[in-house]
Amino acid sequence: MEGHRMKSALAALLLGIGFAGGLTLPAAAQSSVRVGGPVAEQQIDRDAPPVPTQIPGQSRADTWHGIRLGEQGTVSIPNKQAGVLIQSEGEAWRAVRNGPLSQYGSWVLGGILALLALFLLVRGRIRIDGQKTGRTIQRFNAFERGVHWMTAGSFVVLAISGLNVLYGRHTLLPLIGPEPFAALTHYGKLAHNFLGFAFILGVALIFVMWVGHNIPSRHDLTWFLKAGGLFSKGVHPPAHKFNGGQKVIFWATVVGGAALGFTGVQLVFPFSFATLEELQLYQLAHAAIAVVMIAIILAHIYIGSVGMEGAFAAMGDGQVELQWAREHHSLWVEEVTGEKVRHGHHRGTPAE
């Protein structure tokens, strides 16, 4: 009987504690909410250590000023560059790339296309002035033509894929949609990275093959003074295998190609040879040089195809009409055939 009473008392005590706890829990929850306030107050453990919000001994303003200037902190992951929270040079890079570089680049490319169209309308196709002989002379052998087309073909793919990176988002994407544009850009990037090495090899071989023919001479001055006969019918200044205009294209290709190759390798292998800031400068230089190179090569393609009669054959089968060679490369014809070509108003050279 006594044990029964003790069990009843213990049960009543536990029931009372549970009931009291149920009443106090809502009150405690309500006490953590500010009545009429929009934000709930979190209960704070007063005994917990304070969380550091700034570097000891340095003001918060100085800390963020250093971060804004690109100061590097300490990280535990292998990529130590992740310690830089803000890279301010990136903002300057983006402003130049999306601003002056893109704008001036479009002006250069649009301008050269407009000039070539105007030149074709005004001057027309440059014809062979003299009577054709029906005989040909070898201008370039198979190896030279192979190197030329390897370099030219890779450059065309590089130019198209590179221009897509610079302008495609604003021009091509609205026309074809996101999925085709993404696929085109992806495979274009792969082609750009790999064909860049073919272009570098081609430029190196071009330099070795033709550097001896592209040393400036006094005949180049005459060629430039007469504008290569480009604007005057029947005017052909004398020239060796390469005239003054072709020498400009040669050295622009060699120097510009070397610069594109150097900066391109830096970008294909990022952080292997350069810092992030240097890579940003290399990217801007790579794009600017490429735009100028594209403009020069567009002029070269024009004058070597539709712009001049008989010019394309030089890189087609390597054989050119003898009269064409006499008019445009008279000194070279003398060197190769031994014949004496009369130099004068009706003999000479526009550029290919």
Side-chain angles (χ1 to χ4, degrees), residues 6 54 56 64 101 132 151-152 171 182 201 223 234 283 314 342 347:
M6 291 182 63
Q54 63 188 66
W64 283 105
L101 178 61
K132 296 180 182 179
T151 310
T171 57
L201 176 61
W223 191 94
Q283 193 279 330
R342 183 171 60 88
R347 293 290 184 267

Side-chain angles (χ1 to χ4, degrees), residues 38-52:
V39 180
E41 296 180 355
Q42 298 180 352
Q43 292 186 354
I44 300 175
D45 186 359
R46 303 297 181 181
D47 297 330
V51 178

Side-chain angles (χ1 to χ4, degrees), residues 199 203 207 248-262 289 293:
F199 176 72
V203 170
F207 175 78
V248 170
I249 294 174
F250 172 84
W251 287 110
T253 300
V254 170
V255 176
L260 288 176
F262 173 78
I289 296 170
M293 283 281 293

Side-chain angles (χ1 to χ4, degrees), residues 133 135-137 321-327 329-343 347:
T133 64
R135 293 181 292 162
T136 62
I137 181 174
E321 162 64 40
L322 180 58
Q323 182 60 28
W324 179 92
R326 288 170 177 170
E327 293 180 4
H329 300 276
S330 57
L331 298 176
W332 171 68
V333 172
E334 292 181 354
E335 295 172 359
V336 174
T337 64
E339 71 174 60
K340 186 66 176 177
V341 179
R342 183 171 60 88
H343 305 292
R347 293 290 184 267

